[in-house]
Amino acid sequence: MKQYRWIIALGIAAIVLTGVFIFVDKLTKDKKEKAKIGGPKQLFSINADDIERITLDNEEGQYAFEWNDDAHRWMLIGDDSFDLNSYAVIAICNQICNLKSQKTVAFDCQDTAPFGFDHPVTVKVFTTKTDEDHPYVLYVGSNTPTYDSYYAMVEASNDVYTIDYTAGSVFCVAKDTLKTMYLFDTFGSQMTYYKCETDGVLPIEIKRNEDSSWTMIQPAPMTVFKANADNLMETIVRVTMEKYIEENPSDLKKYGLDKPWSKLVLQGKRDGIPAEQEIWFGAPVSDDEKEVNQYAYLPKTKQVIEIGKAMTSFIKDGPNKYILPYCYDVNIEQLSGLDIDMGSVYDMKESLTLDYANNKFTLSGREIDAKNESLLSLFQAYYRSISNLSFSDLALDAKPEGDPDITIVYHLRDGKDVTLGFVPLEQNNYALMKDGSYTGQTVRLNRFTGSSSVVPCYEELKKALN
């Protein structure tokens, strides 16, 4: 009898345990299903090549960006006129194309305000695959209390998700981040015009030609030193702003911009599209003697900015830096000879014949032995001291009169002659004349007599010849 009772008891226990197992298993499966439903989810899967336009609405305004096939870049469209930081738009595009949620925090949520959706950031993506009335729409709310995620929703769903904090930060971009931090965002080779007017410095205005050379317009038509002009353009396109200060300022005086001490105008092309920027420079950011930043103003976008003094130190450079330094720019291959007469300034009256192709040279009829390397080197140094003679300064208002004290005549192989005359202006300073016309340039006497210049090179050559 007892054995039957044990069998019955064991049967009942087995039935109970089986029931418990089934219940626990079902509970576990339900939890897994719920976890699966609330787990990571693909919110968008968009082909970036299909995107034509993106709009962004946030508390600072409404912005629209359109892809320009000709320029191969994102362009700002609409009423805003700031220069766009296209990388910020690229980041938005990259993040939304394959956006995934981390988890679902609320299903069919009826009150989304606690998650920041009473005033969400709204991102709309228009593609070639969707019509104008049905873009992809993302709503971004506030960040989570732990600052590791942002709340997000998509159109046509009341579910609230969390997305990665980095992605959320990209969508919640500030207006100033949408603006480029480059003073003129292009390449140096795409710069076509530069004009600078700075207090106490002669104005500079140069324009790039079709062959990439430069023409000087101000302060006077002179030959531009191309290497220095090109270096200037490369410097300009690397200049970045420290930060944006104020948009549409009502008072420029507090920034020292009511009477800017320098104005800069830049023109060029940005991805093939003409671009222009004007910059005014004002007061230092603080009264500290060691202050390194200054205020500047962009009239086109009506924006006050802060910019480093060192980055824009070129605005204090005079035109001398961008004028070809030589009194006459000529290559030895172009010359058959030259004559130099220093008159009463120095006992030097010589004629040089130059046959560079055949390595034959003479000094006032005396042949220079090309096999004598030391003598040939001294002759070449003397020639270079004359042909590389450089001007000292500009004196555009000077009116030189009288005969030149020093004369150099270049005889070109095409039969033409070019005459440089050095007419006294004041003691030890001469006005440079070219074929009888004043160039606006002056030459100090030490350009002839200083170390490694014309006179010492001549003396060394005479010693070797004697």
Side-chain angles (χ1 to χ4, degrees), residues 54-120:
I54 297 175
T55 64
L56 174 69
D57 292 2
N58 61 27
E59 60 184 8
E60 292 185 280
Q62 299 178 334
Y63 313 102
F65 319 105
E66 191 172 77
W67 178 255
N68 187 305
D69 281 328
D70 294 330
H72 300 290
R73 62 191 291 266
W74 288 100
M75 308 287 285
L76 180 70
I77 58 175
D79 297 332
D80 283 289
S81 60
F82 59 82
D83 290 327
L84 180 65
N85 173 13
S86 59
Y87 297 106
V89 185
I90 291 172
I92 293 172
C93 183
N94 289 341
Q95 289 291 346
I96 204 167
C97 280
N98 192 40
L99 185 64
K100 295 179 181 178
S101 67
Q102 294 177 321
K103 61 182 179 179
T104 305
V105 295
F107 293 95
D108 195 22
C109 184
Q110 299 304 308
D111 182 14
T112 60
F115 300 103
F117 292 105
D118 46 349
H119 297 290

Side-chain angles (χ1 to χ4, degrees), residues 214-316:
W214 293 90
T215 294
M216 179 165 286
I217 303 169
Q218 290 190 76
M222 296 183 182
T223 304
V224 176
F225 194 1
K226 185 178 186 302
N228 282 7
D230 287 345
N231 287 339
L232 171 64
M233 302 307 142
E234 293 296 336
T235 298
I236 289 171
V237 299
R238 287 174 172 78
V239 175
T240 55
M241 312 167 200
E242 292 295 323
K243 59 182 176 180
Y244 286 89
I245 301 297
E246 184 180 358
E247 196 173 70
N248 299 312
S250 58
D251 181 17
L252 288 176
K253 187 175 182 179
K254 66 180 180 180
Y255 302 112
L257 290 163
D258 55 327
K259 296 179 180 178
W261 61 273
S262 182
K263 288 186 177 182
L264 187 63
V265 179
L266 309 171
Q267 292 177 4
K269 292 184 177 181
R270 188 178 296 137
D271 300 311
I273 298 175
E276 182 173 352
Q277 183 72 284
E278 183 175 356
I279 308 99
W280 300 355
F281 295 91
V285 171
S286 74
D287 295 330
D288 190 335
E289 292 181 357
K290 297 181 180 179
E291 178 59 64
V292 297
N293 293 336
Q294 62 189 324
Y295 292 116
Y297 183 60
L298 309 177
K300 187 180 75 171
T301 55
K302 298 180 179 179
Q303 179 75 61
V304 177
I305 62 172
E306 187 177 316
I307 195 167
K309 294 179 181 179
M311 296 201 79
T312 56
S313 60
F314 56 83
I315 61 179
K316 295 182 180 180

Side-chain angles (χ1 to χ4, degrees), residues 128-141:
T128 57
K129 306 298 184 183
T130 56
D131 60 62
E132 187 70 18
D133 297 328
H134 298 88
Y136 295 96
V137 182
L138 173 71
Y139 303 103
V140 183

Side-chain angles (χ1 to χ4, degrees), residues 20 38 70 79 157 193 237 246 280 307 332 349 362 370 386 420 430 447:
V20 170
D70 294 330
D79 297 332
S157 172
Y193 178 85
V237 299
E246 184 180 358
W280 300 355
I307 195 167
I332 192 170
K349 186 176 182 180
T362 68
I386 300 171
L420 300 184
Y430 300 90
R447 295 297 167 102

